[in-house]
Structures are given as structure tokens and as C-alpha cells.
Amino acid sequence: MVYNSKKVHLFGGILMGKGKRTKVAYEQAKIIEQEKKLLEKKKKRKNNLITLIVVASLAVFSAVAIGGTLWYNARTADGTFLRKKAAIKTDNFSINVCMAQYFFNSAVQNYVSQNSDYLEDMGLDTSADLKTQPSYEDEEKSWYDYFLENTEAQMYEVLSLCEAAKEKGYELDENDKKTIEDTLDALEDNADSANQTVDEYIAELYGSTVKLEDIEDSLELTTLAGKYYSEYVEGLEFTDEEIEEHFNSNKESFLTADYIAYFISNEATGEETDSQLKILNDKAKKQAKEIADAKNRSEFEDNLTDYFEDYLKSNNSELSDDDIKSQAETALSSCSVTDEAYNTDTVLGEWVFSEKRKSGDTAVIEDSEQGGYYAVYLVTPATKNTSETKNVRHILLGLENYDDSEACEKAADKILKEWRNGEKTEESFGELAKKYSTDPGSVSVGGLYENVTEGAMVAEFNDWIFSSKRKAGDTDLVETDYGWHIMYFVGDGLTAWKSDVVTSLKNESYTEKLDELKKQYEATTKDKNLQLVEYIPEEAEESDEEDSYTVE
């Protein structure tokens, strides 16, 4: 629950952390982005005067034809006709074009959110037509085709799970309906905060054809699908032998390493002669050697700090000594890499994950493609991640539902007292979570988060569950940017590497199950209707950069 950006996802709930979570196979696009900057651009209506000179008999016909066209276009613009057209359907469930447009634009927004730092390198311009941009993921397709194919697969998955849920007799309960209602209420609140009607707000996010009813219908499907998924995945159990066997068969997928590395560019422009390029390379290599010449981690970090400070002094004489020290410390912290997943596709990764490596190794590594050298210090060689994890339940009371933090805290304290005056068990806490929590990601499972790694949650939440004083059954109130949390500490989880292996096993089992369901419940896709889905471009943001100095 405590992931950094407040984005509500159809299946995943509020993403409130930066660490690893169970990889839900159908992790879908966001519904609401609480602090989303709404588009300021408004579509200006233009009044065009058209003079028609026709004979009387044709004038009558033209009036009828034009009137009919305007009526048709208006009905199409608000989704009336598109809502009647199925984009994809199975025997008992269907997703119409308006819903598909919601799924599509949500998927794009989710992708953009997850890859925001790399969009320019990927060649994805969210303010332009996706149909004219080649996809980084598949160069033979446009970004529009890429997202449409993924949206179609996502919708097929949802419908397959809904069919399986129906066969099992699963239905939406009151808690499910409350979660959907809360999500829609939050969307309406966002619209109100933006001084817009709900239709205006939704139109800027998903298009004018998408209405609140389409989002509600979509949520009902994804929630029902999520019930089946949760029941299936949570019911999977694996023996220690199966876990060990899976680890040994896929060892590279679960090894991690810790290291400190900094890349020094030769700063070549590509116009140098061979002799000039050699001079630049020699200079970069010498600087990297000076950093890597260390007998231990402390010396390596001191060398790196000296490099940063010298760089800052030579590039900005106006910086005070305190500013230089502060910026150098910040730069140093950014060079430390922990729990890096196994990867030998780069020259740096090839060195780090070599079987020959041992703690304390240093090296200067040339990267001819990037044009420069790495100075690197190995903290921990590739190994199992043996760090501990924690299991916790919580009840989130979102600040958006209260006048202020104090009122929210009082409500949280009242719920905690309700629990303490009752059976005071983990099960009773879970029932209260289902009743009161506003975290869609955990409300259906009684506020439970399992195998949480340190650093995965926002600071206040993380610090509470990883406190050395924490013991099973502890309860308390914790405040974060998301609101007030009524906490219940369940206890220690699996060792991190085991948690990762179990997640992998569950993903494999789910993938196999989904393939079975797709064969059992065939879907019919209306390609012509699916092609009616439109992308709603974001408004290009104006640059608002201030002069700054960074260590490069």
C-alpha cells in the first residue's frame, strides 16, 4: 500500500511504494491520479458560416441531411452509439467501445507513469498522435497499435476471469461495491477540485465518449475478475523442495548484488581525430583509476567524494563550501546500487555478476559504446537476497474524505478503539479493514500486505513495521501523505529470496491457468469496433527549468 505515487489501479489499488510487490499478471492502467495536472487547453468552438446556394427542392433535402448528420455526430460524440457496439465479448460478458477507450487510455497513462524518465529515449510523445509514432517496444508497429494490442489482451484476460468467477458463483459483495463507489466518488471530487463537471474531467482523461457509467461498468468487471484471481493465487502453496528446485533452475533470476559505480565520460563529440580521442580517453581512464584506487569501501567513497567536490568547485565558483559538500553527498548516494537484479547484458553487469567476484573488488571498466570508464566497487557479490520481510495489515483512512488531518486521526483512533473493545484478533482486524479501509489494493484481503521488503513502503509505514521493537500483534496509528493508517503487525514474512521465488511460481501457475481459461471461454473481438478507440493526447508541458549545476 504505501507506494510513492497516488495512482489508483484497477487491480492493484493505490500504488504507494517503490519496492517489489507480487507481480499481478494483469496489473492494469490507473483510474485516477490524485494530483494530475489537468489539461488547461480548452477546445474552442468555431462558428462557421456556410452559405448554400441550391434550388428549393435540394435545399429541403440538404437541411434534412445536414440535420441528420449533426444529430448522428452528436450521438457518436457522447458515446451513445459506441456504447452499443461491442469491442470484445464472451458468452456472459462484454466490453463496449466506450469502455475499451477507457481501458486503452488508462493503459497508456499507466505505461507513461511507469516509464516517465525514459519517454524521450523511447520516442514516445504523449502530446502527439500515437498512430504516427513507431513503437520502441516493436518497431514494426505504431505506439497506437502496440497499446491497442495490449489493451485487447488485457480485456480478454478480464473477461476470461469474469467467466471463471461466474462459474464459481462469485459475485460482488458490499465491500466490493463500496470500493467501486469510493473510487467514483474520488473521481468526482477531483473534477470538483478542478472546477469542472465530471463529464469535462473524464473527457480530458479518456475522451468525450467515456462517461462515469463506462468507468463504473469497467470497475465492476475488473473487480469481479480480481476476486477470482485473488482466490486462485492466494490458494497456491509450495513446499520448500519446490521453492529450492525453482531457485536452482532459475538461479540467475533471483541473484542480486550491491555495488558502487560512477561513469566518467570522455566527453567526445565524435569529431575528434584518433589522437585527440586517445587523449580524452586517457584522461577519463586516469580519473576512474584515481577513484578505484581504494583498499576498502570507505576509501572508495572518499575518492569519489573528492572527485565530485573538485568538479563542483571548477564548474561553479559561486557555490559555498556547504553547498559543495551537500551536493557531493547527494551525488555519492546516487552511485550506490543495492539489490541489483542479475544482468550481464552490459560491460558493468558482466563484471559485477562474474562468478570470480568477491566483496571489496574494484575495477576500471571501459564502455566504448557510451564513451568512457566506470570506477566500480563491489559491496556484495551476486547472492541470494537474505534480507527479512514483514507481514502487516492496515486500515487506511484517506485524507480526501476528511476536513483535515486531525479529523482523519480522530476517525482512525475511533476504529482502533472499536477493535480493542472487540475480540482483538488478527481476523477481527481484517474484518474492520474490509469495512473501513480506503486502500483498494488491500481492502478485499483485510488490509493484508505480505513479504514486504525494507524500503518498499513510504518512510513512516516502513519505519513502523521494521522497528526492532516490533512484535506480532502490535497496533498503532501511523500518518503518511495518504492519510492515517491503523496498523496491525502480523509478523515476519519469508526471506526475501524465497518471497521472490514464490512470486515467480505463482506467476507461472497463473499464466498457465489463464491460458486454460482463454481456451475454455473464447472471446469474440470486433476489430472494426476496436479501431474506433481513440487516444486522448496530453497537453505538451512547457519547460520550467532553472539554472542548476549537477555532477555529470
Side-chain angles (χ1 to χ4, degrees):
M1 171 226 66
V2 233
Y3 295 97
N4 284 342
S5 53
K6 295 183 182 178
K7 299 178 179 69
V8 181
H9 288 247
L10 298 185
F11 292 97
I14 300 179
L15 298 182
M16 303 184 218
K18 56 186 177 182
K20 297 177 182 177
R21 288 191 64 191
T22 300
K23 293 181 181 178
V24 178
Y26 46 71
E27 222 179 314
Q28 295 199 36
K30 63 187 176 181
I31 302 171
I32 302 169
E33 191 174 335
Q34 299 284 9
E35 279 86 29
K36 183 173 180 65
K37 294 180 180 179
L38 292 173
L39 302 173
E40 297 178 357
K41 180 178 64 176
K42 302 296 181 181
K43 295 181 179 179
K44 297 180 180 180
R45 296 182 178 179
K46 296 181 179 180
N47 295 318
N48 296 320
L49 179 60
I50 302 176
T51 303
L52 299 177
I53 303 176
V54 292
V55 295
S57 58
L58 291 179
V60 174
F61 173 79
S62 297
V64 174
I66 293 172
T69 301
L70 292 175
W71 176 83
Y72 177 83
N73 288 339
R75 303 290 281 179
T76 302
D78 69 6
T80 300
F81 288 133
L82 298 181
R83 203 162 284 113
K84 297 177 181 179
K85 293 179 177 292
I88 183 171
K89 64 179 181 178
T90 51
D91 288 344
N92 297 292
F93 299 93
S94 176
I95 294 177
N96 63 42
V97 175
C98 295
M99 295 166 66
Q101 177 145 329
Y102 166 71
F103 275 102
F104 177 87
N105 283 281
S106 294
V108 176
Q109 293 165 15
N110 189 52
Y111 184 92
V112 168
S113 174
Q114 292 177 347
N115 299 280
S116 57
D117 293 335
Y118 313 104
L119 297 182
E120 185 175 349
D121 293 334
M122 290 177 167
L124 175 55
D125 181 359
T126 57
S127 65
D129 185 0
L130 297 183
K131 293 181 178 180
T132 63
Q133 304 178 57
S135 168
Y136 172 85
E137 303 286 355
D138 186 343
E139 294 181 356
E140 295 183 0
K141 297 183 176 71
S142 67
W143 276 112
Y144 176 85
D145 291 333
Y146 169 78
F147 285 120
L148 193 64
E149 284 187 10
N150 279 272
T151 300
E152 181 182 354
Q154 174 193 9
M155 294 188 297
Y156 190 3
E157 183 174 4
V158 169
L159 296 183
S160 298
L161 293 174
C162 285
E163 290 287 359
K166 178 178 174 61
E167 187 168 314
K168 286 281 189 179
Y170 297 162
E171 295 181 347
L172 299 184
D173 57 29
E174 292 305 313
N175 288 322
D176 297 324
K177 294 175 182 177
K178 179 180 179 297
T179 300
I180 293 173
E181 183 180 348
D182 289 343
T183 301
L184 298 176
D185 287 345
L187 193 151
E188 291 180 311
D189 289 341
N190 285 348
D192 187 57
S193 297
N195 294 318
Q196 293 179 301
T197 65
V198 175
D199 283 348
E200 290 171 340
Y201 184 82
I202 292 174
E204 291 188 349
L205 291 174
Y206 310 111
S208 61
T209 60
V210 180
K211 305 298 179 185
L212 197 63
E213 64 183 277
D214 303 310
I215 297 177
E216 182 175 10
D217 290 343
S218 300
L219 289 177
E220 288 177 353
L221 289 180
T222 55
T223 303
L224 181 59
K227 287 177 76 73
Y228 179 87
Y229 171 85
S230 296
E231 290 289 337
Y232 175 78
V233 171
E234 295 306 319
L236 294 172
E237 295 183 355
F238 306 97
T239 65
D240 288 341
E241 291 75 16
E242 288 174 321
I243 293 173
E244 194 69 39
E245 180 182 354
H246 190 72
F247 173 84
N248 290 328
S249 300
N250 305 273
K251 190 173 293 186
E252 293 179 352
S253 300
F254 305 109
L255 294 177
T256 62
D258 303 336
Y259 61 91
I260 306 169
Y262 185 71
F263 179 78
I264 297 180
S265 172
N266 60 19
E267 299 183 350
T269 63
E271 298 179 358
E272 293 82 4
T273 64
D274 289 345
S275 59
Q276 290 172 331
L277 182 60
K278 184 179 184 303
I279 293 173
L280 293 175
N281 278 328
D282 288 347
K283 178 183 177 182
K285 186 176 183 178
K286 180 182 177 182
Q287 291 174 320
K289 280 184 175 181
E290 291 173 350
I291 295 171
D293 184 18
K295 296 182 178 64
N296 51 52
R297 177 174 183 171
S298 179
E299 285 190 13
F300 187 91
E301 290 180 337
D302 286 344
N303 292 344
L304 196 49
T305 300
D306 289 343
Y307 171 83
F308 290 147
E309 290 182 350
D310 289 343
Y311 181 94
L312 290 166
K313 288 177 182 177
S314 62
N315 283 273
N316 186 3
S317 59
E318 296 180 1
L319 285 176
S320 68
D321 290 343
D322 287 342
D323 288 337
I324 289 174
K325 183 178 179 181
S326 176
Q327 290 193 27
E329 289 176 352
T330 300
L332 177 63
S333 65
S334 69
C335 296
S336 183
V337 180
T338 58
D339 295 336
E340 176 77 355
Y342 188 94
N343 176 20
T344 57
D345 293 337
T346 65
V347 291
L348 178 60
E350 188 175 359
W351 183 88
V352 168
F353 289 99
S354 168
E355 293 181 357
K356 300 177 182 178
R357 293 283 76 77
K358 62 183 184 298
S359 296
D361 283 353
T362 62
V364 172
I365 304 170
E366 181 180 11
D367 189 331
S368 56
E369 288 189 8
Q370 294 195 66
Y373 293 84
Y374 284 101
V376 56
Y377 178 92
L378 189 68
V379 179
T380 306
T383 186
K384 292 178 178 177
N385 185 352
T386 57
S387 60
E388 62 183 5
T389 69
K390 304 296 181 182
N391 297 333
V392 62
R393 290 184 186 269
H394 85 119
I395 301 169
L396 170 64
L397 300 187
L399 286 174
E400 66 275 6
N401 297 319
Y402 299 88
D403 292 335
D404 51 36
S405 177
E406 184 178 352
C408 186
E409 181 184 12
K410 286 181 180 179
D413 186 58
K414 183 178 179 181
I415 294 173
L416 182 56
K417 287 178 180 177
E418 180 181 346
W419 176 79
R420 287 174 175 168
N421 291 331
E423 298 176 0
K424 293 196 293 187
T425 64
E426 180 186 347
E427 290 73 20
S428 63
F429 189 95
E431 290 305 311
L432 290 177
K434 291 179 180 179
K435 180 178 180 181
Y436 293 115
S437 183
T438 60
D439 173 21
S442 66
V443 64
S444 64
V445 290
L448 180 63
Y449 281 91
E450 294 183 299
N451 304 316
V452 179
T453 56
E454 188 162 12
M457 303 298 191
V458 290
E460 300 86 354
F461 196 105
N462 177 85
D463 292 347
W464 189 86
I465 64 176
F466 280 95
S467 169
S468 59
K469 301 176 182 179
R470 198 62 53 229
K471 61 183 183 299
D474 281 356
T475 57
D476 205 348
L477 301 182
V478 172
E479 184 182 19
T480 71
D481 289 341
Y482 300 95
W484 280 88
H485 309 257
I486 304 104
M487 309 290 291
Y488 181 96
F489 186 70
V490 178
D492 292 337
L494 297 172
T495 304
W497 75 268
K498 281 191 174 182
S499 174
D500 290 341
V501 173
V502 169
T503 296
S504 177
L505 284 167
K506 287 185 174 182
N507 284 338
E508 284 189 4
S509 296
Y510 172 71
T511 299
E512 292 174 1
K513 184 64 177 178
L514 181 60
D515 288 340
E516 292 177 10
L517 295 178
K518 286 184 175 180
K519 291 178 182 178
Q520 184 177 351
Y521 306 111
E522 292 186 3
T524 301
T525 300
K526 303 288 187 179
D527 291 330
K528 288 184 178 180
N529 293 347
L530 197 58
Q531 290 293 328
L532 295 173
V533 168
E534 296 180 346
Y535 169 62
I536 307 304
E538 296 181 358
E539 184 179 70
E541 294 186 4
E542 294 182 5
S543 176
D544 187 25
E545 298 179 355
E546 297 181 357
D547 291 338
S548 61
Y549 291 87
T550 58
V551 180
E552 296 180 354

